[in-house]
Structure formats: structure tokens, C-alpha cells
Amino acid sequence: MISCALPPEKIPFMAEMIPVALTTAEPPFKIFSKSLSRTDLENRLSIPGSCLHFFRVPEGSNQIEFQAIDTLGKPWSFKLSLRSGGYPKPVITGEWLSFVRDKGVKVGDTVTIFQQNNGTNEGQYSISVSRKVFNVLATCQFELLFCCLT
């Protein structure tokens, strides 16, 4: 993060400001990470069934909608659906494919979904994508608040 000590009117160039929420909530908990397949990128994101308890699917329902915030603070609306009968095989749809296109996600990238307790009984979800660069997994985050050009 880059910040300037100059007043805004003295800054030659100011990038769009991104709101930053200050909270005393618990740190985010990783729900799952997954290396993405072509099916994940072209159709829907399948997730491990062992993660279902992190999502409050009402009894008798086979889907819920939830929002996840990306590393830039943009909210994305996702839908978690379960196959009825037998093995539930949870999948995420909704704005998933828009997220994939917007972020330039590729086969082999790793998506991670986190949950953070916000002090209530409801959690907030966040999402990030990592890519191996020179054999090192790097999460691409562009949380630029101010950019000063001299």
C-alpha cells in the first residue's frame, strides 16, 4: 500500500480511493483453496463437500446466495447449489464466471475463499486468486489507496 502525506489538492494524481473497513473482528479463516480446472473456469466452481458447514443452507433448501469481497473490496454475488439426493456435490455459480473473466483467472490458478466472523452470528466471505510465478504461489492484490506521481 502506498500513501501520501500531502493533502489531496497537492497530489498530482490520485487513484480511485478504496474504502477500508476497520474492524476488531477475528482474522479470516480459510474455508478452502483449490487449483482450478477448465470446468471450474467454463461452467461452475465445484467445492469440497466438507466445506458445507461454513455456509448456512436452510434445511429443506438446496441453495443459498452469498457475497464474497475480492482483494480490491469489490463484492461478488455467488450462489452455492447442492445436487438433490445422494452426494450433494456443492458448486458455486452466480457471478462466478464474471469473476473469472474480470480477474483473468486461468487453469491451474488457486482460488481461496475465507470467512471472517464480523462480531455477529453471520460471517463475511472473501475471495482471492493466486498464481504460480517462477514456481512461487503469489496472490495478486492491488489495494492501492493513493498513487503519487512526481
Side-chain angles (χ1 to χ4, degrees), residues 1-21:
M1 180 186 329
I2 301 170
S3 63
C4 298
L6 298 173
E9 64 274 5
K10 298 284 186 185
I11 299 173
F13 169 81
M14 188 157 71
E16 178 182 346
M17 291 181 61
I18 300 167
V20 177

Side-chain angles (χ1 to χ4, degrees), residues 43-54:
N43 299 304
R44 64 199 148 287
L45 174 63
S46 63
I47 68 169
S50 60
C51 300
L52 280 177
H53 65 280
F54 292 105

